[in-house]
Amino acid sequence: MLFEITNLIAVSAAGAPADGTMQQSDDSGAPSFNPLVVLELISDTKEEAITWLLSRIRTPQQAGGAGLLVEQLGPGVSAEHKDNPNLFLVGASWERLLSGAEDVGLFKEYSDGSMRGFTCANKHNFKDFQGDGDGFLSMAECQYIIKHELETLRAKDETHVPGYSNAKLYPGKSIIRRLLSKGILIQMFPLHHKEELKRLSFSWYKKFKLSLQPLDEIRHYYGEGQALYFGFLEYFTFALVPMALFGVPYYMFDWEDYDKYVAFAVFNVVWCTIILELWKRSSATLAYHWGTLSRKKAFEEPRPGFHGVLGYNPVTDREEPLYPNAKRQLRIYLVSLPFVLLCLYLSLYVMMIYFQMEGWALSVHDQDPSFWTGVLLYIPSIIYAVVIEVMNLVYRYAAEFLTEWDLLCSTPTFSQVRSLLSGLFSLATLLITSQILNQFMEAFLPYWLQRRRNKKMIRKVQKRRTPGDKELPLAEQVRLEADMSTYLGTFDDYLELFLLFGYVSLFSCVYPLAAVLVVLNNVTEVYSDAFKMCHVFKRPFADPAANIGVWQLAFETMSVIAVVTNCALIGMSPQVKAYFPESETQLILWTVAIEHGLLAFKFILTFLIPDVPKHIQIKLARLEFESLEALKKKVNRLIWIL
């Protein structure tokens, strides 16, 4: 059924360019545009609020508006009285999209092959800008530009949203954010493009093949953030192969023997370090190729949810909402940090309860072994995994609330802190149970719910369509997509990989087949994640990421912890204990010394392996040199004029 949904999804003109460029005119001579983004307001929105919002969106940028094109969605072939009439399509003229590309600091390939920040004044010197530039920007880039312009639309002298006296507005407050928080704006999402989605689905997951994922196509359709996640998933899967091959003989030939832990533990430590360092090089190569490696160095604007008194920013020479840093730090250290410590305590407490339950189950089984007592051994693990999943949800919402309350200003900082706070609570989930739960929650359950929600609409549309209709009308497409589940980002996906990495790096000596199970899980994860992106969720906005963000730090921290746990396993080995038959103190001291030696070796490896490949370092340095030379020439020319 869900395949029917995707096959019905189409842009009103399927052959139109995917970059959201301006149409010349329709038959009546009125200007038209390719719809890129949908805004859905509540059905009973006050007319004055709608008029005010549309006016602010249409007002030119120079006058404090967004300078975008917006039209109300008309009724479809299956229109009913209960359908929400307040759906609005947002697009932009080609000139506005180009100026928006400059505003967001979009990097594109220059005529000399380097990646440079796009500027309208220099547009004809970019490689793919031909003629009027049609096709220069991808549809995902155009949608990201529109999202940025909408989110940075801020209140000026308005005190409240017209018609809603309780929806207060303050200078510098994001209008879109306020409408969302007050429930006036239900959602904002980008539209799918049928032909592009079909091509991507076919090359991505519709045929099983032993080949790399189409990361460039994924990036083109979903943006760099999604592409980097799938790139990391693919890299992590291949990186697990040596560990899996090393672990199978251990499992098959008396892996319970502690004497064999030493070699496995040392290999584990080296493996953890090397794969993470090589991933940084791989991600840097991808980010440079996609134009985000240098882009992240640009000045970051305040995130749309940040609010404060409108003030002057001396760096950007413009007005922005500011908030005293001292107040922010007080909120973090007096409220957020104690709450995080409390959550950690609760997590450890639950873990202790699990250990007690497991000990009780073992004692019952040892006293009277039977089939049912054997089944009882698995019950504590299943209960613990379910409890951890529930706690993860609670901790995630709490972390989002606290991070927002702390008023962290920049968007990357906001998302990274949220990920770090939430990720602290989730390591101890048991491997096999958590994999089953994750696959169910991520793919099957959303698919089933989406199928039920759209079944009625599909039948209704199919009845009303004429035999010659091959495409779903635009109004039906928008309403169909509006009813699909919202993709909440890569946080849960990275968290799952983080847990799996923890199992392999911490516990593979105890259970050598852990890497084999994770490889099998990741292979299915690629296809299930690709399926849910294409058929279950709304299309997400592009995320111009340069790396995997705070998750890199989380994985590296886990690799350091792995050194400690593996050294502890080495210390427990009978082979090592045999060297210290009379003194456990010396054994502990030697174990700690080996741990420090391995940590030193790990950090030396980290230092010796550059994060960015040499050839990319040279290109970045050359670009910086050319920028400085150009600046010198401008200054000298100005001095000569004066």
Side-chain angles (χ1 to χ4, degrees):
M1 180 64 67
L2 216 55
F3 287 105
E4 296 179 52
I5 297 174
T6 308
N7 290 333
L8 287 173
I9 292 177
V11 177
S12 56
D19 51 27
T21 54
M22 181 76 172
Q23 304 272 346
Q24 292 298 321
S25 64
D26 57 20
D27 294 337
S28 62
S32 61
F33 62 96
N34 285 331
L36 297 172
V37 175
V38 178
L39 295 176
E40 183 179 5
L41 303 174
I42 56 175
S43 58
D44 59 347
T45 306
K46 303 290 181 60
E47 189 62 34
E48 54 265 42
I50 296 177
T51 303
W52 167 76
L53 176 61
L54 298 185
S55 176
R56 289 300 308 269
I57 294 176
R58 290 168 176 154
T59 299
Q61 195 176 19
Q62 297 80 357
L68 302 174
L69 304 173
V70 57
E71 292 181 359
Q72 188 168 11
L73 182 70
V77 296
S78 62
E80 294 182 354
H81 293 296
K82 64 180 181 179
D83 288 342
N84 187 355
N86 293 327
L87 276 86
F88 299 89
L89 306 176
V90 184
S93 66
W94 179 236
E95 293 76 13
R96 182 67 186 91
L97 289 172
L98 290 179
S99 66
E102 184 174 350
D103 292 340
V104 301
L106 199 66
F107 268 59
K108 304 292 283 186
E109 188 174 0
Y110 207 63
S111 55
D112 61 0
S114 63
M115 303 299 296
R116 306 194 181 196
F118 175 79
T119 59
C120 293
N122 214 18
K123 59 187 179 183
H124 292 288
N125 292 326
F126 285 85
K127 183 177 180 181
D128 296 325
F129 197 97
Q130 301 173 355
D132 61 355
D134 187 21
F136 179 67
L137 300 175
S138 69
M139 187 177 183
E141 289 171 336
C142 294
Q143 290 168 333
Y144 173 75
I145 291 170
I146 290 179
K147 173 178 177 284
H148 173 269
E149 300 301 338
L150 288 173
E151 289 184 335
T152 53
L153 187 61
R154 300 185 180 275
K156 289 193 172 183
D157 55 354
E158 301 98 335
T159 58
H160 63 275
V161 176
Y164 298 89
S165 57
N166 63 329
K168 302 294 184 183
L169 289 174
Y170 307 95
K173 178 72 176 180
S174 171
I175 292 175
I176 294 296
R177 179 75 180 190
R178 194 57 169 171
L179 293 174
L180 283 169
S181 65
K182 288 298 181 179
I184 303 172
L185 177 62
I186 299 176
Q187 60 180 334
M188 175 175 68
F189 63 92
L191 281 171
H192 273 293
H193 189 280
K194 178 184 177 181
E195 297 304 320
E196 283 193 35
L197 188 60
K198 274 186 176 180
R199 289 194 295 267
L200 177 60
S201 299
F202 182 78
S203 62
W204 194 2
Y205 78 91
K206 280 194 173 181
K207 56 179 182 180
F208 183 82
K209 58 186 184 306
L210 296 177
S211 62
L212 301 179
Q213 296 180 88
L215 294 182
D216 286 333
E217 288 81 358
I218 298 172
R219 175 253 173 180
H220 187 271
Y221 194 81
Y222 287 110
E224 293 80 12
Q226 283 294 328
L228 279 173
Y229 162 71
F230 283 99
F232 181 72
L233 174 58
E234 178 181 274
Y235 174 85
F236 182 41
T237 304
F238 281 108
L240 282 166
V241 172
M243 180 65 74
L245 295 177
F246 201 58
V248 170
Y250 269 70
Y251 184 81
M252 296 180 64
F253 303 107
D254 298 327
W255 64 272
E256 294 89 350
D257 187 354
Y258 271 58
D259 295 351
K260 298 180 179 180
Y261 282 176
V262 177
F264 202 106
V266 173
F267 177 79
N268 198 345
V269 170
V270 176
W271 173 82
C272 289
T273 303
I274 291 179
I275 67 164
L276 292 177
E277 290 303 311
L278 293 182
W279 164 250
K280 286 194 285 189
R281 294 171 59 86
S282 178
S283 66
T285 302
L286 289 174
Y288 178 80
H289 176 63
W290 293 336
T292 56
L293 186 62
S294 299
R295 182 178 176 183
K296 299 299 287 185
K297 298 178 182 179
F299 182 78
E300 297 166 353
E301 291 193 2
R303 66 179 179 87
F306 175 74
H307 57 85
V309 178
L310 199 64
Y312 172 75
N313 189 319
V315 178
T316 60
D317 194 28
R318 57 191 178 193
E319 286 187 325
E320 289 176 358
L322 304 176
Y323 190 83
N325 185 64
K327 291 184 179 180
R328 183 184 303 114
Q329 297 300 324
L330 285 175
R331 288 188 171 193
I332 292 174
Y333 291 109
L334 295 183
V335 179
S336 297
L337 184 58
F339 180 79
V340 170
L341 295 177
L342 174 63
C343 292
L344 287 173
Y345 170 77
L346 292 176
S347 299
L348 292 174
Y349 187 75
V350 172
M351 186 186 297
M352 293 302 105
I353 294 177
Y354 160 69
F355 288 150
Q356 292 177 358
M357 292 174 59
E358 192 176 51
W360 172 78
L362 285 171
S363 64
V364 171
H365 182 70
D366 291 339
Q367 291 176 2
D368 186 18
S370 66
F371 171 78
W372 294 110
T373 57
V375 173
L376 183 64
L377 294 176
Y378 296 97
I379 301 301
S381 298
I382 296 174
I383 295 176
Y384 184 51
V386 173
V387 170
I388 287 295
E389 291 296 327
V390 174
M391 292 177 66
N392 284 342
L393 293 175
V394 175
Y395 287 145
R396 172 171 181 165
Y397 288 121
E400 288 178 348
F401 171 78
L402 286 176
T403 308
E404 172 121 359
W405 185 71
D406 289 336
L407 296 175
L408 295 172
C409 182
S410 66
T411 303
T413 304
F414 170 73
S415 58
Q416 289 176 6
V417 172
R418 184 193 75 177
S419 300
L420 186 58
L421 291 178
S422 302
L424 290 173
F425 312 110
S426 306
L427 179 60
T429 317
L430 301 179
L431 180 59
I432 298 176
T433 306
S434 65
Q435 287 180 346
I436 295 173
L437 285 175
N438 283 325
Q439 292 290 356
F440 175 79
M441 295 295 292
E442 289 183 6
F444 175 76
L445 183 60
Y447 168 79
W448 181 73
L449 292 175
Q450 187 63 42
R451 179 177 178 176
R452 290 194 61 185
R453 281 197 298 265
N454 291 280
K455 188 175 182 180
K456 183 178 180 181
M457 177 178 286
I458 292 175
R459 288 177 177 175
K460 182 170 53 180
V461 171
Q462 288 176 337
K463 286 180 180 178
R464 293 174 179 259
R465 290 169 66 191
T466 60
D469 291 338
K470 295 183 179 181
E471 297 175 0
L472 190 66
L474 177 61
E476 304 301 341
Q477 174 205 345
V478 173
R479 297 187 187 279
L480 192 62
E481 292 189 32
D483 194 48
M484 296 176 75
S485 301
T486 300
Y487 182 67
L488 299 178
T490 56
F491 171 80
D492 290 325
D493 298 320
Y494 277 120
L495 179 59
E496 182 180 355
L497 295 183
F498 176 66
L499 294 173
L500 296 175
F501 179 78
Y503 285 123
V504 174
S505 60
L506 297 178
F507 309 126
S508 56
C509 289
V510 181
Y511 188 62
L513 285 185
V516 177
L517 293 176
V518 174
V519 168
L520 296 176
N521 174 82
N522 286 1
V523 171
T524 60
E525 190 77 18
V526 169
Y527 288 90
S528 64
D529 284 353
F531 173 80
K532 74 180 183 182
M533 291 301 302
C534 294
H535 297 286
V536 175
F537 295 111
K538 294 184 185 73
R539 181 179 187 173
F541 284 104
D543 176 22
N547 47 55
I548 62 175
V550 76
W551 290 107
Q552 181 74 38
L553 175 62
F555 279 92
E556 290 174 354
T557 303
M558 183 62 65
S559 69
V560 173
I561 298 174
V563 174
V564 179
T565 59
N566 283 281
C567 285
L569 289 172
I570 292 174
M572 290 189 295
S573 168
Q575 184 180 16
V576 174
K577 286 184 176 181
Y579 289 99
F580 307 94
E582 299 179 355
S583 176
E584 288 189 2
T585 303
Q586 289 186 355
L587 172 61
I588 294 174
L589 291 176
W590 272 104
T591 302
V592 173
I594 293 173
E595 174 211 331
H596 282 62
L598 288 175
L599 284 174
F601 176 68
K602 173 181 174 59
F603 291 127
I604 289 173
L605 279 179
T606 302
F607 176 77
L608 292 178
I609 302 176
D611 293 349
V612 181
K614 187 68 176 178
H615 69 282
I616 294 181
Q617 293 183 25
I618 294 174
K619 291 180 179 179
L620 294 176
R622 183 184 302 150
L623 180 59
E624 185 175 357
F625 172 76
E626 291 177 359
S627 300
L628 290 175
E629 289 296 307
L631 180 61
K632 287 180 183 179
K633 291 180 180 179
K634 288 183 179 180
V635 172
N636 292 334
R637 189 180 303 113
L638 181 61
I639 293 174
W640 182 82
I641 293 175
L642 294 177

